[in-house]
Amino acid sequence: MRATTDLDGLGLDDGGHLLVQRALEPLRPGDRLTVTGRNPALGVHLAAWCRAHGHRLAPAGDGDENSGPLEIIKGAADERRWRDARRAGAADGPPDARADPRWGLAARGALVEAGGPPIGAEWTERDHVWADIAPRLSAAAAASQWDPATAVNWPASIDVPPEIERAVVQLMTYLVENEQAALIIPARLLSQLHPHYREVMQLLATQTADEARHVEVFTRRGLLSGGPLGTSSAGGRASLQTLLAEPDFTTASFLLSVLGEGTFVDLLRFLHRHAPDPVTADVARLAVRDEARHVAFGVAHTAHLARAEPSYLGVLRQSVERRHAALQDTAGLNTEVFDSLVLLAAGSWEPAAIRRGWHAVRDLQAQMDEGRRRRLAYIGFPDDEAAELSALHTRNFM
Ligand SMILES: [Fe+2]
Ligand SMILES: [Fe+2]
């Protein structure tokens, strides 16, 4: 097959190679392309370009390289380059069951030239990271981002009795350390996830952004009355540390999102209900909306894997037991946090009020337990096992 292309006055140093490349594309190796043009450097530049791209250049007819038309004999390098290329799954379809590390950072659905560096991702199997709800949750998460500077009614007056304010500050101090753990865990999972599962990658990215906002607003509320922050207990931090140490994607997501953040949803609703000022109510309300999404993914993903591999329920069970055993000798929840919850719900130091507050916190704990059992049952645990595992959950709530 023969073809011709005319570059007119265009040189290869002005983009002329695009026309040559376009004309070569439909040709097979060994086919000839006649190139004409008026640019004085065309012959020299074309010779260099052909060498770099594996083609041969010859004068066409009786011309020479410095005058008259030139002829390119197409080489095989291009064809060889793409011979072993594979598509990285389908861009608009569901992700593949196994993501090939050799796809590296290629977009899902891209034609991947062989030979690039493999990605060192740990999570390359769909069932171990996926939930069918991930694309929808990811879109909802992107649409629900809020600005900490304007979403909270910061100028509202904080007319809170000093002792109640101290309880609020203690709770905010506790929330911040929990939010920091909740930020680090999805960030770590994200860094080891094969990007082929892009909806999960996007979801984890918004989740870390959510937690960063929670850290911001809880810190800001804690400092609003100008005082120092409250205390951080060794037992509370030890409990969170066990979450950071969890190496498996699904058990980390299970312990953090299903059990921890699930429990936190009830805690934040409690804070919202008993908030002594509009700022505390705002920050609790905004955070709980985000947390509901984190819980939804954790539950959906864990249920997805348990359906695909029913024996995984045993792995999840062991992760709760292991964590319980590791924390057995620690206090779990900071007592000052517990007392602050009672005082917040009481609203004053009147004995009758304290009794009300105490019972409100007991009701909260019962509600947390019920929620955990419901989620565990949804994932596939029989009711008695769900009750047992819920009871083993950390006293630190998260
Ligand atoms: Fe959070
Ligand atoms: Fe969260």
Side-chain angles (χ1 to χ4, degrees):
M1 187 172 163
R2 279 177 175 278
T4 56
T5 188
D6 180 24
L7 301 194
D8 197 10
L10 185 66
L12 253 58
D13 49 352
D14 282 322
H17 72 282
L18 290 175
L19 290 178
V20 177
Q21 221 162 256
R22 178 165 173 255
L24 278 170
E25 212 168 74
L27 304 188
R28 301 234 308 273
D31 286 350
R32 289 159 182 264
L33 171 70
T34 305
V35 182
T36 55
R38 290 182 287 106
N39 191 287
L42 185 60
V44 178
H45 286 170
L46 209 49
W49 187 84
C50 283
R51 262 197 309 281
H53 290 82
H55 308 299
R56 280 197 302 125
L57 185 71
D62 49 7
D64 63 59
E65 276 193 24
N66 298 316
S67 66
L70 297 157
E71 199 166 57
I72 297 176
I73 303 151
K74 186 173 178 173
D78 246 18
E79 231 169 55
R80 269 202 307 275
R81 182 175 168 209
W82 295 105
R83 196 172 43 209
D84 297 323
R86 297 278 176 276
R87 290 252 165 228
D92 54 355
D96 283 19
R98 238 168 256 275
D100 193 330
R102 289 173 301 180
W103 294 343
L105 292 166
R108 188 154 95 211
L111 185 62
V112 185
E113 182 183 5
I119 196 158
E122 191 148 342
W123 317 114
T124 56
E125 285 182 52
R126 182 186 56 211
D127 289 343
H128 286 256
V129 299
W130 186 252
D132 290 335
I133 200 179
R136 261 175 298 144
L137 272 180
S138 172
S144 310
Q145 301 292 299
W146 43 271
D147 179 357
T150 55
V152 179
N153 184 12
W154 296 113
S157 83
I158 304 294
D159 189 15
V160 180
E163 281 174 306
I164 306 287
E165 175 62 14
R166 256 206 304 284
V168 171
V169 170
Q170 177 57 62
L171 290 167
M172 293 298 145
T173 308
Y174 159 82
L175 288 175
V176 169
E177 73 185 35
N178 282 268
E179 296 296 346
Q180 288 177 164
L183 187 160
I184 289 168
I185 292 156
R188 189 167 57 81
L189 297 180
L190 177 57
S191 72
Q192 285 300 311
L193 175 69
H194 196 304
H196 181 69
Y197 304 110
R198 69 159 187 264
E199 295 89 343
V200 177
M201 179 176 70
Q202 290 162 324
L203 191 59
L204 291 174
T206 46
Q207 187 166 333
T208 57
D210 293 343
E211 308 301 9
R213 282 197 311 274
H214 303 171
V215 169
E216 166 68 19
V217 295
F218 293 148
T219 301
R220 201 160 155 186
R221 173 61 190 92
L223 294 174
L224 207 56
S225 47
L229 286 183
T231 62
S232 163
S233 75
R237 293 199 312 280
S239 179
L240 292 174
Q241 200 75 30
T242 58
L243 285 179
L244 297 188
E246 191 57 53
D248 177 60
F249 186 102
T250 305
T251 48
S253 165
F254 173 68
L255 292 175
L256 172 71
S257 298
V258 178
L259 296 178
E261 292 175 314
T263 302
F264 247 57
V265 164
D266 289 319
L267 176 68
L268 291 167
R269 287 201 181 115
F270 182 92
L271 291 182
H272 180 252
R273 194 169 341 126
H274 296 288
D277 65 274
V279 173
T280 301
D282 274 356
V283 294
R285 173 182 56 82
L286 289 162
V288 83
R289 243 173 41 191
D290 295 335
E291 293 307 333
R293 279 194 311 273
H294 308 167
V295 177
F297 177 69
V299 170
H301 164 57
T302 316
H304 173 92
L305 182 55
R307 265 197 310 277
E309 293 177 29
S311 66
Y312 219 86
L313 288 177
V315 176
L316 298 177
R317 185 193 169 92
Q318 280 166 15
S319 72
V320 177
E321 290 169 345
R322 215 171 34 240
R323 189 174 183 212
H324 175 74
L327 295 174
Q328 213 158 23
D329 299 325
T330 71
L333 184 66
N334 185 348
T335 50
E336 285 162 36
V337 171
F338 188 89
D339 296 347
S340 297
L341 287 172
V342 172
L343 187 58
L344 196 73
S348 85
W349 282 102
E350 288 296 316
I354 293 293
R355 180 188 290 117
R356 260 201 325 273
W358 177 265
H359 283 287
V361 174
R362 297 308 296 262
D363 289 349
L364 168 65
Q365 287 173 305
Q367 199 179 14
M368 289 168 160
D369 176 53
E370 200 204 301
R372 283 195 299 268
R373 281 188 284 141
R374 202 177 50 239
R375 287 188 292 276
L376 288 163
Y378 177 84
I379 288 166
F381 286 101
D383 288 347
D384 55 338
E385 252 186 87
E388 219 179 299
L389 291 180
S390 173
L392 293 181
H393 182 63
T394 174
R395 287 182 291 262
N396 186 53
F397 301 144
M398 180 68 90

